[in-house]
Amino acid sequence: MLSRREMQVFRLLAEGKSNRRIAGVLRVSERTVKAHVAQILAKLDVESRLQAGLVAFAWTIVDGEASR
């Protein structure tokens, strides 16, 4: 559902990182991060970055449990 790069952004959202921090970690512009976040919001059918972050956080918990 999400591209590889969107998944990277999604995981960083789960950690509560700002767009500026995500941009630094991924070595892209903040504008690029904003575009990825917008695509993530649309694909997840959520209205805010907070909602996307909550979904990402929940996903990391479930994914982490599945990995064990």
Side-chain angles (χ1 to χ4, degrees):
M1 182 170 169
L2 298 179
S3 71
R4 192 175 119 238
R5 182 60 100 180
E6 289 167 347
M7 282 300 294
Q8 292 172 323
V9 172
F10 188 59
R11 287 187 177 113
L12 293 168
L13 278 175
E15 295 173 10
K17 301 254 189 299
S18 67
N19 285 356
R20 177 173 286 180
R21 185 67 187 127
I22 293 170
V25 169
L26 299 179
R27 298 178 190 245
V28 297
S29 72
E30 281 187 67
R31 184 177 178 178
T32 299
V33 172
K34 288 179 184 180
H36 287 308
V37 171
Q39 285 297 315
I40 291 166
L41 295 180
K43 287 181 178 182
L44 296 178
D45 194 28
V46 296
E47 296 178 10
S48 71
R49 160 190 192 90
L50 174 61
Q51 288 176 325
L54 291 171
V55 170
F57 180 73
W59 180 81
T60 58
I61 290 171
V62 170
D63 190 53
E65 291 294 322
S67 310
R68 291 181 186 180

